[in-house]
Amino acid sequence: MKKLLVSLAAAGLVLAGAAAVIAQEQEPAKTEGHSEANPTHFPIKEPKEMNWSFAGPFGTYDKAQLQRGLKVYKEVCSACHSMNLVAFRTLADLGYSEAQVKAFAAEYTIHDGPNDDGDMFDRPGKPSDYFTPPFANEQAAAASNGGAAPPDMSLLAKARGVERGFPRFIFDIFTQYQSGGPDYIHSLLTGYNEQPPAGMVIPEGTHYNPYFANGVSLKMPPPLSDGQVTYDDGAPQTVDQYSQDVAAFLMWAAEPHLEERKKTGFRVVIFMLLFGGLMYMTKRKVWSDVAH
């Protein structure tokens, strides 16, 4: 009886310790000097989890949303951000016809060459070309944006995101949560309207955003405003909708084969289940006459 009580007490201590660790992981880190006006961990607020069509094991891209996101990128984001790894021909995956892709690419000017005379020249873009950057080089981009070159957006949706502590990252394995990047982009683009806490010092020339992962503020001013981009399909022309659409488009740009990957994964899981069942029945058949 005494041994049983000791064992139960030890188990209780272990559970209490585990609960304390989980609670500590879920709460923001508290360090000396930390206060609402002087945060020491970023982002100050975690990105909001959105209901994306491509989320989960059976998620798919909403092509209408991707087309709207492309429109937002072209009319707003492309003024500062490049997308060097995305070819015009891949826009056919968004539902555009071959003629539409050719017309879209022709709107861009490509600096090409040398020609037979050894000279560089400009020509209209072709589907095989890639999105042209807004600046000639990174130094020019930094000089035009207060010393900070805007990041390339080709892989931004996979490169950005906030680490989810224990035990949430365990559940993410089973729910296949992979929307950290789009959640972060959407929250960042819609977070400019929030006011900083009293006493917080915002560096001159920067803009407060509680969802920014590297500090209390960033140099990029609010890029979106209501009614800035005209939609042809009747979707709301609001900052929230623009942010959702461009975040979804950037997710597609970073992982254009997401749907195929999920389909392949599902087929592999089904195959492994059937194969496992067949192997079990084979084992039962082969060893059925052997004494155990």
Side-chain angles (χ1 to χ4, degrees), residues 168-177:
R168 283 189 298 175
F169 77 88
I170 300 294
F171 298 120
D172 291 344
I173 296 174
F174 299 97
T175 61
Q176 295 191 24
Y177 175 78

Side-chain angles (χ1 to χ4, degrees), residues 96-223:
Y96 292 110
S97 66
E98 183 178 351
Q100 288 175 314
V101 172
K102 287 182 179 180
F104 185 92
E107 295 177 8
Y108 289 78
T109 300
I110 306 299
H111 192 60
D112 203 352
N115 57 18
D116 294 339
D117 298 325
D119 299 323
M120 303 299 289
F121 61 94
D122 292 333
R123 61 169 176 79
K126 299 181 294 186
S128 57
D129 293 318
Y130 290 74
F131 278 84
T132 56
F135 302 101
N137 49 60
E138 187 173 350
Q139 289 73 20
S144 300
N145 290 276
D152 182 83
M153 283 187 159
S154 304
L155 303 175
L156 194 68
K158 301 294 287 186
R160 296 294 186 269
V162 177
E163 291 185 6
R164 293 156 66 87
F166 182 83
R168 283 189 298 175
F169 77 88
I170 300 294
F171 298 120
D172 291 344
I173 296 174
F174 299 97
T175 61
Q176 295 191 24
Y177 175 78
Q178 300 176 347
S179 307
D183 284 343
Y184 175 78
I185 294 171
H186 169 263
S187 292
L188 184 73
L189 292 176
T190 56
Y192 283 97
N193 58 349
E194 300 194 25
Q195 298 299 317
M200 178 178 286
V201 178
I202 305 301
E204 185 178 356
T206 65
H207 306 269
Y208 173 74
N209 195 313
Y211 300 101
F212 185 48
N214 297 320
V216 298
S217 60
L218 69 165
K219 285 184 175 292
M220 182 176 73

Side-chain angles (χ1 to χ4, degrees), residues 237-279:
Q237 298 175 170
T238 62
V239 170
D240 183 73
Q241 188 65 52
Y242 294 152
S243 302
Q244 291 185 50
D245 294 341
V246 75
F249 170 71
L250 293 178
M251 182 64 180
W252 167 83
E255 194 170 3
H257 304 299
L258 175 142
E259 295 180 5
E260 290 79 1
R261 175 176 61 79
K262 290 184 177 183
K263 291 177 182 177
T264 301
F266 179 73
R267 295 188 187 106
V268 169
V269 169
I270 296 300
F271 170 79
M272 293 302 294
L273 290 174
L274 293 175
F275 181 73
L278 289 173
M279 291 300 294

